[in-house]
Amino acid sequence: MKTLVWVEHDNQSLKDATLSAVTAAAKLGEVHLLVAGKGVDGVAQAAAAITGVGKVHVADDAAYEHFLAENVAPLIVSLMGTHDAVLFPATTTGKNIAPRVAAALDVMQISDILSVEGADTFTRPIYAGNAIATVQTSDKKLVITVRGTAFAKAAATGGSGTIEAVSGEGDKGLSTFAGAEIAKSERPELTSAKVIVSGGRALGSSEQFHAQIDPLADKLGAAVGASRAAVDAGYAPNDYQVGQTGKIVAPEVYVAIGISGAIQHLAGMKDSKTIIAINKDEDAPIFQVADIGLVGDLFKIVPELTEKL
Ligand SMILES: Cc1cc2nc3c(=O)[nH]c(=O)nc-3n(C[C@H](O)[C@H](O)[C@H](O)COP(=O)(O)OP(=O)(O)OC[C@H]3O[C@@H](n4cnc5c(N)ncnc54)[C@H](O)[C@@H]3O)c2cc1C
């Protein structure tokens, strides 16, 4: 089987999420990549260096600079004559493009796979991760999104894929890019961080969120996450959200501060290796998944902990 992996990047560097998708694709067969963007020579070189990659298709065009699904999807569809499966990391952008490709190919999308059981069989979470479904498809072309935390990352170096320029239909004129507000941070990226410190509704304000969470995260070299309640209340930016409708993470250490442990939050972090919870309610559901639990007032415990570290 010939697979095509859509490469997640920012026109300058390749994002780690791609590497897990490459591992999943390698279980299906030959791995080709697609780098679509503007001024993406560096990304293409990095893509070709990934272990196991046979070919990198590069579409360098201003129409692909912002990864608008309306422009990128037809490009991918045009490559599906020679590929049997296309895989996307299950990231915001991957999840934006994949359904359009599936619809154009008139096939179902197989979302958020956790494992490859065979050429047409996959597992995926359902009911916010409380059950794992095994799904089998009879479609001739497969459109798949890959949960990054479920697959090891392919080695970023050691490969020697060939690079081939491709062109698509460019700007379809269906959408335009208006702007992006990207939170800039020196901290590690949430989905690839080894340690995450997350805050919940209990922080009470944006000021307290940053006053309590940031210093602890800095001491631990951690990324900062948040519950949806904290995001909805404006304590933390949207892209901090961990959970069913946020990011799926599985760091070595996840510190949940003032987070109750609602099922939708657990869906995004329960695969973390070690979970540390700080909550004043000893019956909070978060303690059912926590390896280490501290019962008490976060406004007392967190500064103390930060100071001792
Ligand atoms: C369709 C759907 C999707 C959702 N997706 C997500 C998602 O992706 N991510 C997500 O997080 N949620 C999600 N939710 C919301 C989820 O159901 C919860 O409402 C949310 O996670 C609660 O956030 P929280 O734990 O911060 O707040 P709360 O549930 O209000 O918990 C606050 C906790 O802080 C503790 N606390 C209070 N004061 C202190 C103190 N001084 N010291 C220590 N502890 C204290 C309390 O004991 C409590 O346990 C979703 C809901 C729905 C319906």
Side-chain angles (χ1 to χ4, degrees), residues 199-202 226-230 241-246 258-262 264-265 278-281 284 296-299:
R201 196 198 309 267
S227 71
R228 175 156 159 183
Q241 187 177 316
V242 171
Q244 186 186 340
T245 43
I259 292 178
S260 58
Q264 296 89 355
H265 188 79
I278 301 172
N279 197 301
K280 69 176 185 188
D281 174 9
D297 184 358
L298 75 90
F299 294 103

Side-chain angles (χ1 to χ4, degrees), residues 258-272:
I259 292 178
S260 58
I263 182 172
Q264 296 89 355
H265 188 79
L266 300 186
M269 46 62 76
K270 67 176 167 16
D271 291 333
S272 305

Side-chain angles (χ1 to χ4, degrees), residues 70-83:
E70 292 78 2
N71 294 345
V72 177
L75 169 69
I76 295 173
V77 171
S78 73
L79 293 168
M80 290 310 287
T82 49
H83 294 88

Side-chain angles (χ1 to χ4, degrees), residues 70-279:
E70 292 78 2
N71 294 345
V72 177
L75 169 69
I76 295 173
V77 171
S78 73
L79 293 168
M80 290 310 287
T82 49
H83 294 88
D84 307 295
V86 56
L87 294 90
F88 299 79
T91 55
T92 308
T93 317
K95 289 192 287 188
N96 192 33
I97 301 169
R100 212 173 173 91
V101 174
L105 293 170
D106 197 17
V107 299
M108 70 169 182
Q109 176 180 307
I110 306 164
S111 302
D112 217 11
I113 63 163
L114 302 174
S115 70
V116 175
E117 301 294 317
D120 58 1
T121 310
F122 307 88
T123 63
R124 59 177 303 268
I126 54 172
Y127 302 119
N130 283 307
I132 307 298
T134 301
V135 293
Q136 187 171 27
T137 177
S138 54
D139 283 330
K140 294 279 173 288
K141 302 285 177 186
L142 309 186
V143 178
I144 296 168
T145 63
V146 178
R147 181 174 287 205
T149 54
F151 292 87
K153 292 184 175 63
T157 53
S160 54
T162 54
I163 296 178
E164 192 176 299
V166 290
S167 55
E169 296 164 41
D171 188 357
K172 300 290 286 179
L174 295 171
S175 57
T176 49
F177 176 78
E181 278 177 44
I182 311 281
K184 288 213 161 45
S185 169
E186 297 295 305
R187 297 205 175 84
E189 215 260 314
L190 200 50
T191 49
S192 54
K194 291 204 161 39
V195 181
I196 295 173
V197 178
S198 277
R201 196 198 309 267
L203 273 308
S205 68
S206 169
E207 291 72 31
Q208 279 301 331
F209 188 96
H210 293 293
Q212 303 296 331
I213 304 294
D214 291 1
L216 179 59
D218 288 343
K219 280 268 169 79
L220 295 170
V224 175
S227 71
R228 175 156 159 183
V231 169
D232 286 352
Y235 306 164
N238 230 294
D239 60 350
Y240 280 27
Q241 187 177 316
V242 171
Q244 186 186 340
T245 43
K247 290 182 174 154
I248 309 287
V249 299
E252 298 290 322
V253 179
Y254 187 88
V255 189
I257 300 175
I259 292 178
S260 58
I263 182 172
Q264 296 89 355
H265 188 79
L266 300 186
M269 46 62 76
K270 67 176 167 16
D271 291 333
S272 305
K273 306 265 176 323
T274 301
I275 297 171
I276 302 170
I278 301 172
N279 197 301

